[in-house]
Amino acid sequence: MISEEQFQKELTIIIQNGIREDIGPGDYSSLACIPDAAQGKAKLLVKDTGIIAGVSFAKMIFENVDPTLEIETFINDGAAVKHGDIVFHVSGSSQSILKAERLVLNSMQRMSAIATKTNQYVKLLEGTQTKILDTRKTTPGFRACEKWAVTIGGGENHRFALYDMIMLKDNHNDFAGGITKAINKTKAFLKHNNLDLKIIVEARNLDEIKEILENEGIYRILIDNFNFEDTRKAVAMIGDKCLTESSGNINEKTIREYAECGVNYISSGALTHSVYNMDLSLKAF
């Protein structure tokens, strides 16, 4: 993953772009009927069940829109919530609350859905040594928040983008002329550019596992779209030479058995691309 400093920059960009997109030249609905000096109070109401996520991010949004807004928090990120729970109160300028409302809700609803699904997968892996990873299959422009939500749900982050880890997938290997050529070219590239990046290599079958193992300096092997039997064979072949990661059409019904094959990680794009937003609302009171 990227540095904490870069991660915070990504969050700031998301907020600034969200405000630009939603408010534009002004919230004319509020400007038309609410006095500039009007003060108000609203509560974040849960109308669903799951794991809440995005509370800290919501505070960042409110701070960006209006630093004078005050937040009273009752439930923090990562907590289990149910219908009727109140996560926080926000008070201050009524116009400012309304400006921030949609960005706060959109962000928290999606982040909470991701945290909830991740937490379900984490529970399915209890008792094994396997950890759940996200992928780059994220919503364009919202990746930092979605990966943050995965960690809130108890999962771990894979690489953030194309620049913080080397991942040689099937297309890279084919375009480079084969796995070994791709690995050797990568090592030369990293050395020439003085880059210290971990290398993951994808394998499509046991023969490719064998070829990868003939090369030094591999951080993790991606065992992609293997069945259970071949996954167990791959894990046995790899041993402690490097870490292992299973991926490819793994779901709630199969994740436990893949974990019991002995892999270190399971990566799932479904954590971020196949979720239904948690039902939340911001209500004045």
Side-chain angles (χ1 to χ4, degrees), residues 165-278:
M165 184 181 287
I166 296 289
M167 191 166 180
L168 301 177
K169 303 192 74 175
D170 52 359
N171 283 338
H172 296 95
N173 298 331
D174 290 343
F175 283 146
I179 287 175
T180 298
K181 287 183 178 179
I183 292 172
N184 289 337
K185 289 176 181 178
T186 295
K187 289 179 179 178
F189 173 84
L190 293 176
K191 183 177 181 180
H192 178 76
N193 291 279
N194 195 30
L195 292 171
D196 183 19
L197 298 177
K198 294 174 180 176
I199 302 174
I200 298 177
V201 185
E202 178 183 310
R204 290 170 286 194
N205 51 56
L206 293 171
D207 287 338
E208 291 190 348
I209 295 281
K210 182 179 179 181
E211 182 177 354
I212 294 168
L213 291 174
E214 292 171 353
N215 294 271
E216 297 291 331
I218 305 304
Y219 171 66
R220 192 158 77 222
I221 295 178
L222 174 58
I223 306 168
D224 191 53
N225 282 299
F226 278 45
N227 59 34
F228 299 128
E229 181 181 358
D230 285 345
T231 299
R232 284 189 285 270
K233 290 179 180 178
V235 169
M237 288 173 63
I238 295 166
D240 59 0
K241 298 180 181 70
C242 64
L243 296 174
T244 55
E245 173 188 343
S246 278
S247 186
N249 298 311
I250 298 175
N251 55 40
E252 292 92 336
K253 295 180 180 180
T254 60
I255 189 171
R256 179 78 187 192
E257 191 165 352
Y258 274 105
E260 290 173 346
C261 291
V263 294
N264 300 109
Y265 297 98
I266 290 173
S267 54
S268 173
L271 297 182
T272 51
H273 71 55
S274 298
V275 295
Y276 294 94
N277 284 1
M278 180 181 286

Side-chain angles (χ1 to χ4, degrees), residues 63-78:
E63 170 72 19
N64 195 286
V65 169
D66 184 349
T68 68
L69 291 175
E70 296 183 1
I71 315 298
E72 185 179 8
T73 305
F74 306 111
I75 302 175
N76 292 311
D77 284 322

Side-chain angles (χ1 to χ4, degrees), residues 53-65:
V55 179
S56 295
F57 187 59
K59 293 177 182 178
M60 294 174 64
I61 295 170
F62 285 126
E63 170 72 19
N64 195 286
V65 169

